[in-house]
Amino acid sequence: MADIMLRPDLKTAGGEVCDIMYNGEFVGTLTLVYRESDRLKGSIHLEQQSITITNKNKVYEFVQSYIQDVIDAYSIKDCEVLVSYSEYDFVIATDHALQPAIFEVDALADLHQDEVEFEWVSDENRFEDIDADYGLDQMDMIEERKKNQGYELVIVGENRNRVEYHVYDKESELVAEVATHVYGSDVVGDVKWKFDPFVEEMDLVTELIVADFNEDETDSFVFNMIYKGETIDTIELTHIDLLDLADEIQVDALTPPNPEDYTIVMARDDGDTLTYEIYQQSYGGLPIGTATVDVSSRQLTGFIDFREPGDSDDRELIASLLLDELDKEKDYETFNVSMLYRNKLIDEIWFETDQFH
């Protein structure tokens, strides 16, 4: 059975903000503002890249039950909660923000596609779904994207100078279609994505395609990364690049991230908020990310804004090293850190004291 829980992030006498956790992973946010014996308004936002359509309905049932409990506890007479299932457009955060403030632009532009609005029905004391069109035809193409997801490349068509592939994730969902043409020793291809991919996802698919060709017969590759009919990136590899790539893949597969490669330096101390710059020796003199942490209570919260995202092992190591630095400044019970790259949430890690002490 799936483990669904609400993790309080901010709570006052008249409202609350909770992280929605599914099997230990962050999948969205619940925001409620209420007035006792009167009115409740709020929103639920689930991330498309973090939870499948099937699982999101389980989350909706759980959160709906929680909201009903709030209604009963405060004798609420009027309730309205807006629900969205989409990616973030952008993140707005102040220097002292504990968690970034998220503003959805397109999610409200087309209510019948992305949102479900619930209205309080006084004579039944339950919710009524007043718009249940989820836009499934569109969202069926955009499924769960897990960090470091294991992709599989499958040939679906082949002739003398053309090879077509489908790329599937570990849930056997189609994530990209690939068409390659061979011109002598050169390969040119189009990769059509079902979602807006991260750099690491494009690199992973590129590696899979390259590995399917004979390196002794190929001098160069050119791949156009396409999303919604537009080319979002072009990857070009020469024979020398392929040799370097093979060496890099082999080294990465055998060598775990090195803690000595990273340095975390406190940049600002504003009392309840600490700011750290994160450096990587192999990257050079500029920081690869900035961490902002609220230390006003024993439940530490914060976020890391990455300039270079690395992979999940790198991010987990950086979070652990950051925790070591925080250990010097503050006693804590838990630490929740969100990780952002290009204004997108790419990871979320939760630490508890008993794991380290």
Side-chain angles (χ1 to χ4, degrees), residues 254-278:
L254 299 175
T255 307
N258 182 7
E260 296 182 359
D261 192 32
Y262 296 96
T263 304
I264 298 180
V265 179
M266 182 184 293
R268 291 181 59 178
D269 183 349
D270 297 311
D272 289 342
T273 303
L274 303 179
T275 303
Y276 294 87
E277 297 290 356
I278 303 167

Side-chain angles (χ1 to χ4, degrees), residues 33-179:
V33 179
Y34 39 78
R35 188 164 54 192
E36 188 172 352
S37 300
D38 188 4
R39 194 178 184 192
L40 181 150
K41 288 184 70 70
S43 66
I44 300 168
H45 178 79
L46 296 183
E47 299 182 340
Q48 280 182 333
Q49 70 268 33
S50 298
I51 189 168
T52 63
I53 293 176
T54 301
N55 291 337
K56 80 180 177 69
N57 291 329
K58 300 176 185 178
V59 174
Y60 284 158
E61 292 177 2
F62 177 86
V63 178
Q64 182 173 332
S65 176
Y66 175 80
I67 297 174
Q68 181 65 49
D69 291 340
V70 174
I71 290 173
D72 294 338
Y74 288 96
S75 301
I76 300 295
K77 298 178 181 178
D78 183 37
C79 172
E80 184 181 71
V81 176
L82 297 179
V83 181
S84 61
Y85 177 62
S86 62
E87 295 185 358
Y88 294 127
D89 276 348
F90 57 91
V91 177
I92 298 177
T94 63
D95 289 340
H96 306 290
L98 311 185
Q99 296 286 350
I102 306 299
F103 292 83
E104 284 295 330
V105 176
D106 292 340
L108 297 178
D110 197 354
L111 180 62
H112 75 275
Q113 284 190 348
D114 293 326
E115 297 185 354
V116 179
E117 182 181 353
F118 296 94
E119 186 177 60
W120 171 252
V121 182
S122 59
D123 53 353
E124 293 183 358
N125 287 345
R126 300 306 301 165
F127 289 94
E128 178 185 5
D129 185 352
I130 66 175
D131 190 345
D133 184 357
Y134 289 81
L136 294 179
D137 290 340
Q138 176 184 2
M139 291 189 291
D140 278 343
M141 299 173 63
I142 308 174
E143 288 292 343
E144 183 180 22
R145 295 158 59 189
K146 296 295 186 181
K147 273 68 78 174
N148 288 331
Q149 192 161 28
Y151 288 149
E152 179 185 5
L153 188 70
V154 178
I155 296 177
V156 296
E158 185 174 9
N159 57 32
R160 188 170 60 87
N161 63 344
R162 178 183 173 89
V163 184
E164 297 179 351
Y165 304 90
H166 281 176
V167 182
Y168 296 93
D169 62 19
K170 62 183 180 182
E171 303 295 336
S172 298
E173 297 292 340
L174 179 66
V175 298
E177 298 177 352
V178 183

Side-chain angles (χ1 to χ4, degrees), residues 135-270:
L136 294 179
D137 290 340
Q138 176 184 2
M139 291 189 291
D140 278 343
M141 299 173 63
I142 308 174
E143 288 292 343
E144 183 180 22
R145 295 158 59 189
K146 296 295 186 181
K147 273 68 78 174
N148 288 331
Q149 192 161 28
Y151 288 149
E152 179 185 5
L153 188 70
V154 178
I155 296 177
V156 296
E158 185 174 9
N159 57 32
R160 188 170 60 87
N161 63 344
R162 178 183 173 89
V163 184
E164 297 179 351
Y165 304 90
H166 281 176
V167 182
Y168 296 93
D169 62 19
K170 62 183 180 182
E171 303 295 336
S172 298
E173 297 292 340
L174 179 66
V175 298
E177 298 177 352
V178 183
T180 61
H181 292 82
V182 180
Y183 302 99
S185 61
D186 301 321
V187 177
V188 178
D190 291 335
V191 182
K192 297 181 179 179
W193 291 86
K194 301 302 183 182
F195 52 77
D196 188 5
F198 295 124
V199 173
E200 58 189 17
E201 291 172 315
M202 291 188 287
D203 290 343
L204 178 56
V205 170
T206 298
E207 294 168 11
L208 290 174
I209 301 172
V210 168
D212 198 52
F213 286 83
N214 189 329
E215 63 180 22
D216 295 330
E217 299 177 359
T218 310
D219 290 334
S220 70
F221 289 89
V222 178
F223 297 115
N224 298 310
M225 301 294 169
I226 300 171
Y227 174 58
K228 290 186 175 180
E230 296 185 4
T231 300
I232 57 177
D233 199 359
T234 299
I235 297 177
E236 300 183 17
L237 297 172
T238 64
H239 189 69
I240 296 177
D241 295 326
L242 298 178
L243 296 177
D244 292 341
L245 179 62
D247 293 339
E248 181 180 337
I249 294 172
Q250 184 177 8
V251 171
D252 288 345
L254 299 175
T255 307
N258 182 7
E260 296 182 359
D261 192 32
Y262 296 96
T263 304
I264 298 180
V265 179
M266 182 184 293
R268 291 181 59 178
D269 183 349
D270 297 311

